[in-house]
């Protein structure tokens, strides 16, 4: 009886939560803040992309990372493909190193997210240096701390749709 009931229960499709989380992340990404606070803004789109890639690998993969990266480039008026390339490289590396692990604990996800955020910021920093763009080095690394500290909030808001 219990097995028949479990078979009849179909897992919820995460399509609506994925779309809503990307919309909310895009609003948080471009919401106007003061100059001093804007430097501390977490990398919301990066964290949303990373959550879905790690927690819903059958729904979100490299193409999802590419699409959210292009969307981020358009929202931030960044060079087209800069965030997309970073998101795709991070997605590939994360999926490569976690393909053997089927059970990822919260601590594992937090550590993976912290390393991915650091890698993303390093890639953006390196591309800006190679492009000859002048920018504040201290302001570039400020989102690292706030993004790492915001990851548990994002995880606990979206954990219902984790497989």
């Amino acid at each position: 009886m219990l097995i028949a009931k479990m078979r009849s229960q179909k897992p919820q499709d995460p399509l609506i939560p994925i779309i809503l989380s990307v919309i909310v992340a895009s609003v948080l990404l471009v919401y106007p803040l003061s100059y001093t606070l804007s430097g501390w803004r977490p990398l919301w789109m990066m964290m949303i992309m990373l959550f879905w890639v790690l927690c819903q690998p059958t729904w979100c993969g490299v193409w999802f990372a590419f699409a959210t990266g292009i969307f981020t480039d358009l929202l931030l008026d960044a060079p087209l493909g800069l965030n997309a390339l970073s998101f795709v490289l991070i997605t590939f590396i994360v999926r490569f190193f976690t393909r053997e692990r089927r059970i990822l604990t919260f601590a594992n996800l937090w550590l993976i997210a912290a390393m991915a955020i650091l890698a993303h910021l390093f890639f953006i920093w390196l591309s800006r240096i190679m492009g000859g763009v002048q920018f504040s080095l201290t302001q570039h690394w400020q989102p690292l701390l706030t993004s790492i500290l915001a990851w548990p909030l994002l995880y606990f808001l979206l954990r219902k749709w984790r497989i």
Side-chain angles (χ1 to χ4, degrees):
M1 181 75 166
L2 182 63
I3 295 173
K5 186 176 180 181
M6 288 175 64
R7 286 185 184 165
S8 68
Q9 286 181 342
K10 201 176 191 182
Q12 279 185 322
D13 290 342
L15 182 62
I16 300 298
I18 290 171
I19 293 170
L20 288 176
S21 65
V22 169
I23 290 170
V24 169
S26 66
V27 168
L28 291 172
L29 192 67
V30 297
Y31 189 78
L33 294 173
S34 68
Y35 184 73
T36 55
L37 286 178
S38 66
W40 293 96
R41 183 188 316 257
L43 303 169
W44 291 112
M45 195 67 79
M46 166 72 180
M47 293 190 305
I48 289 289
M49 180 275 306
L50 197 59
F51 175 83
W52 290 118
V53 164
L54 286 169
C55 296
Q56 284 290 341
T58 55
W59 279 81
C60 300
V62 175
W63 285 107
F64 176 73
F66 178 75
T68 55
I70 289 289
F71 187 51
T72 304
D73 288 332
L74 293 172
L75 285 173
L76 295 177
D77 198 26
L80 194 61
L82 181 65
N83 285 303
L85 179 61
S86 176
F87 287 12
V88 166
L89 289 174
I90 287 170
T91 298
F92 177 75
I93 292 168
V94 164
R95 299 270 309 256
F96 181 77
F97 285 120
T98 60
R99 72 175 189 262
E100 304 291 323
R101 302 185 65 122
R102 290 292 165 219
I103 299 173
L104 292 170
T105 64
F106 170 72
N108 290 346
L109 288 172
W110 200 1
L111 183 64
I112 291 168
M115 292 187 325
I117 291 165
L118 181 66
H120 172 70
L121 287 173
F122 180 75
F123 179 79
I124 298 297
W125 174 75
L126 192 63
S127 65
R128 287 183 179 179
I129 292 293
M130 290 177 12
V133 177
Q134 298 294 326
F135 62 96
S136 171
L137 188 61
T138 56
Q139 189 175 11
H140 176 74
W141 295 102
Q142 287 172 343
L144 178 65
L145 179 64
T146 55
S147 297
I148 291 172
L149 293 176
W151 175 263
L153 173 68
L154 183 130
Y155 176 81
F156 287 114
L157 287 174
L158 296 175
R159 71 177 176 204
K160 178 182 176 186
W161 293 280
R162 183 180 171 195
I163 59 169

